[in-house]
Amino acid sequence: MSEQLPMLSPAATAPKVDKLPTVRLDRLPLLLLPALALAALPLVGSVSTWVTLTFAGLAMGMIIFIMASGLTLVFGLMDVFNFGHGVFITLGAFLAVSVLTSMPTWTESERLSVNLLALAPALLVAMALTGGLGFIFERTLIRPVYGQPLKQIMITMGGMIVGQELIKVAWGPQALPLPLPAAFRGSLVMGEAAVEKYRLIAVALGLLVFAAMSWVLGRTKIGLLIRAGVQDREMVESLGYRIRRLFVGVFVAGSALAGLGGVMWGLYQQTVSPTIGAEVNVLLFIVIIIGGLGSVGGCFIGALLVGLVGNYAGFLAPKVALFSDILLMVAVLSWRPQGLYPVVKR
Amino acid sequence: MTTPLLQLEGVHTHIGAYHILHGVDLEVPRGELTVLLGRNGAGKTTTLRTIMGLWRASSGRIRFQGEDIGACPTPEIALRGIASVPENMGIFSDLTVCENMVLAARAARRAQDLDPKRLDWIFGLFPALRRFWQHPAGLLSGGQKQMLAVARAIIEPRHLMLVDEPSKGLAPAIIQNLIAAFRELKQTDTTILLVEQNFNFARQLGDRVAVMDGGRIVHAGAMADLAEDEALQHKLLGLSLASHQ
């Protein structure tokens, strides 16, 4: 298809060029986080308690983000509501139980580096197996119901119930303890404030996942395709890319992230039950709705908001904490009905 | 006689319960610009979408370079060398102009991989794209988005371009710029199938013309013949060129 490029005619070289509107980053949702934290300070009263609560909220938010990030991309790319997402979280948590309890000398060591070396295979095994399960889940359950939202809800919820029962067959119906590795236990005391060590690890891992996702989405061609596909998948196909393959990749990655989140959530709860994923599923949907369906940045802010509000409410008004996530969602959607960072779709 | 680059034979398309195309027969000769004219609802856009595989023909044959592409998925049709500029332009508004172009160039992983000679040529056709290279495409004006949509289709050499109503909603000055750009493209021997309702725009560019009505081709021939025949224009389009000038 080689061709000779013609010389330009004067008519083609002299169009009228207008100015563009200035590019402005929408900072308001970002400002919600410090605004919320500062608003909570006088209510909490004690600075040290406030620091503890804020760190706990951020850590919880980071783990929620890890679990929810795949869910928002899956919806954004193919309009698939995966109500079975929780089964990957449950599987990840149970795999963490199996891997970590099989390495008692590593997890009971007082050295942080040895504990991290024990955590690494737990994370890797959980991600590999939940990613593999995600591949099977997409092939067998999601693929036949593309474009049929009601059937998607029914079949993915059914898939989660079957998955939970299979987990009971493998690990038993009872809740299993998942103690933190020795060096993760306890707190770092800064002045009068105590910050749990494990929460610091969760914040670091959450930031790492967010940075990695931002790099992939912003700096790689695969990321470009995902962002473009979220907006207009028909046009992506018209450019010659197979969006279904891309979707399978995103679904597998999202499932693996849910598995990773499951390990972290299990360690956060320190007890793992077969319903751990189902219990957190609704919270994940609240987060991705708050963030704007399909938006990774929105999901990140939404997860941190949910984590902070949950912790502040738990301290200030424990009864309100039971429905604080719903209140937060109502407040955000009253302000921005499409979520914090709505994704423009065609 | 040479084989047409694209050939539709008795193509029927249903969308849900609606029967939109009723046996479309169309030939698009190599190296020429064929205009598909017709009123709203005549089936022009459906024809382009059916060629692109975005809607499946329920019967009939679509041959491209002699091969039947009727059952091919859209990405494969694109990879065979057919580029599409849809009516809504299909711009990825959250991506920059540069990122839109990188996506359109399948072999490129980043902006540095784009063919600089070809990019210069495109910047010559549409200078606004150079100026707003790193801006989100969603901020471009309607005319600039149309330029980007065309630029994406030509960032790599293609055998055939399907262009759906490029002049729709654009100011006359921008339309003249697009006409100039399409004239340049014609010099590269790119084959173009252009859907238009603006007869004046179509007349200035078309080598061949096909007129659709009720999901069928009701006239096909040289554009020059239709442009000179006011009675035929009245009969086919309900207009005369004089009323559009």
Side-chain angles (χ1 to χ4, degrees):
Chain A
M1 277 188 277
S2 64
E3 58 188 299
Q4 201 64 36
L5 303 180
M7 296 300 290
L8 297 172
S9 68
T13 55
K16 183 173 173 289
V17 178
D18 301 321
K19 279 188 179 172
L20 283 187
T22 319
V23 187
R24 288 167 71 185
L25 178 69
D26 185 3
R27 288 194 184 86
L28 278 178
L30 287 173
L31 293 175
L32 276 181
L33 290 170
L36 175 67
L38 289 175
L41 180 57
L43 296 173
V44 172
S46 151
V47 174
S48 58
T49 309
W50 177 80
V51 170
T52 302
L53 288 172
T54 303
F55 250 98
L58 290 176
M60 184 179 164
M62 289 291 183
I63 300 173
I64 292 170
F65 165 70
I66 295 171
M67 293 187 286
S69 52
L71 192 61
T72 200
L73 276 182
V74 162
F75 179 81
L77 199 58
M78 296 297 274
D79 293 343
V80 168
F81 266 121
N82 178 17
F83 276 74
H85 197 69
V87 77
F88 305 113
I89 293 162
T90 310
L91 180 61
F94 272 96
L95 286 168
V97 172
S98 293
V99 174
L100 291 176
T101 51
S102 69
M103 309 168 77
T105 49
W106 295 59
T107 53
E108 288 310 314
S109 166
E110 294 292 331
R111 289 171 61 193
L112 179 65
S113 57
V114 176
N115 286 179
L116 287 172
L117 281 175
L119 182 63
L123 295 176
L124 291 175
V125 167
M127 288 180 77
L129 293 186
T130 51
L133 178 67
F135 183 78
I136 297 166
F137 204 86
E138 196 276 339
R139 280 280 161 123
T140 54
L141 297 183
I142 308 272
R143 193 164 291 193
V145 292
Y146 273 128
Q148 302 170 74
L150 278 178
K151 286 185 179 173
Q152 282 168 9
I153 292 170
M154 300 303 286
I155 203 163
T156 54
M157 284 193 85
M160 185 165 75
I161 292 166
V162 171
Q164 270 179 20
E165 296 306 311
L166 289 174
I167 284 169
K168 284 181 191 171
V169 170
W171 279 278
Q174 72 286 0
L176 299 177
L178 180 57
L180 285 169
F184 293 3
R185 294 170 203 155
S187 305
L188 291 179
V189 180
M190 294 178 279
E192 290 184 356
V195 177
E196 284 185 33
K197 291 178 192 168
Y198 177 66
R199 287 175 177 168
L200 286 174
I201 292 168
V203 168
L205 191 67
L207 284 175
L208 195 68
V209 169
F210 181 64
M213 284 187 81
S214 302
W215 181 79
V216 170
L217 289 172
R219 303 281 172 191
T220 68
K221 182 120 182 195
I222 290 280
L224 273 188
L225 278 168
I226 293 170
R227 285 160 60 207
V230 166
Q231 285 180 54
D232 190 344
R233 57 177 176 261
E234 203 171 71
M235 193 62 222
V236 171
E237 294 215 300
S238 296
L239 291 175
Y241 300 97
R242 293 175 200 276
I243 198 105
R244 285 277 169 97
R245 284 188 191 169
L246 185 67
F247 177 68
V248 173
V250 168
F251 198 89
V252 168
S255 307
L257 282 171
L260 170 66
V263 176
M264 299 302 287
W265 192 243
L267 285 167
Y268 186 81
Q269 304 278 0
Q270 298 190 41
T271 308
V272 176
S273 75
T275 55
I276 189 172
E279 285 159 10
V280 83
N281 224 14
V282 174
L283 187 64
L284 302 187
F285 274 96
I286 289 173
V287 164
I288 68 171
I289 290 168
I290 287 175
L293 290 165
S295 162
V296 173
C299 176
F300 185 69
I301 305 287
L304 294 184
L305 281 175
V306 163
L308 287 174
V309 167
N311 275 274
Y312 292 141
F315 177 79
L316 294 168
K319 285 184 180 172
V320 175
L322 295 172
F323 55 92
S324 62
D325 310 322
I326 302 284
L327 279 182
L328 177 66
M329 182 171 73
V330 169
V332 169
L333 296 187
S334 302
W335 174 43
R336 292 195 170 183
Q338 303 292 318
L340 295 175
Y341 286 108
V343 173
V344 182
K345 285 174 84 80
R346 286 194 188 87
Chain B
M1 190 181 162
T2 55
T3 319
L5 182 68
L6 179 75
Q7 201 170 13
L8 278 68
E9 290 173 8
V11 171
H12 288 255
T13 300
H14 291 76
I15 302 169
Y18 299 98
H19 191 176
I20 310 293
L21 300 187
H22 295 262
V24 172
D25 296 301
L26 175 69
E27 291 190 347
V28 178
R30 235 171 255 274
E32 294 191 4
L33 193 151
T34 302
V35 180
L36 199 53
L37 286 172
R39 59 179 174 78
N40 276 337
K44 306 182 298 295
T45 295
T46 304
T47 303
L48 291 198
R49 289 178 64 84
T50 304
I51 295 167
M52 208 61 215
L54 294 167
W55 285 328
R56 290 274 154 227
S58 33
S59 63
R61 299 185 76 167
I62 304 170
R63 283 205 191 90
F64 178 65
Q65 295 185 313
E67 289 179 34
D68 196 335
I69 59 166
C72 293
T74 301
E76 190 186 324
I77 292 169
L79 292 176
R80 284 173 182 244
I82 302 182
S84 167
V85 180
E87 192 176 0
N88 68 8
M89 297 177 267
I91 297 300
F92 305 118
S93 52
D94 286 354
L95 272 55
T96 63
V97 171
C98 168
E99 287 169 335
N100 269 273
M101 295 292 277
V102 169
L103 272 188
R106 282 191 51 90
R109 303 189 71 81
R110 54 212 169 105
Q112 290 87 331
D113 299 333
L114 296 172
D115 177 357
K117 200 172 162 192
R118 200 164 183 92
L119 204 53
D120 269 349
W121 173 60
I122 288 170
F123 285 151
L125 291 173
F126 308 120
L129 300 185
R130 187 199 294 271
R131 184 166 165 200
F132 300 129
W133 189 238
Q134 292 298 347
H135 284 66
L139 295 180
L140 298 176
S141 69
Q144 289 160 350
K145 281 181 185 161
Q146 190 62 263
M147 292 172 191
L148 175 57
V150 175
R152 264 190 339 197
I154 58 175
I155 185 65
E156 283 179 339
R158 316 276 189 195
H159 292 300
L160 173 66
M161 276 176 71
L162 307 177
V163 188
D164 198 353
E165 293 208 45
S167 70
K168 193 176 176 182
L170 299 185
I174 302 289
I175 292 178
Q176 283 310 312
N177 183 226
L178 274 177
I179 288 173
F182 278 110
R183 283 198 175 126
E184 300 283 354
L185 275 178
K186 283 178 69 175
Q187 288 182 38
T188 64
D189 286 332
T190 306
T191 309
I192 301 171
L193 176 59
L194 180 83
V195 160
E196 255 307 329
Q197 290 209 58
N198 179 338
F199 188 68
N200 195 33
F201 181 95
R203 183 188 64 89
Q204 294 183 56
L205 290 167
D207 302 305
R208 313 275 309 165
V209 62
V211 181
M212 286 195 82
D213 194 28
R216 291 181 184 84
I217 302 289
V218 293
H219 169 85
M223 175 57 91
D225 294 344
L226 181 62
E228 285 168 12
D229 191 339
E230 268 196 42
L232 191 58
Q233 289 168 33
H234 269 294
K235 183 183 160 199
L236 295 172
L237 306 165
L239 55 80
S240 72
L241 190 52
S243 66
H244 277 248
Q245 287 174 325

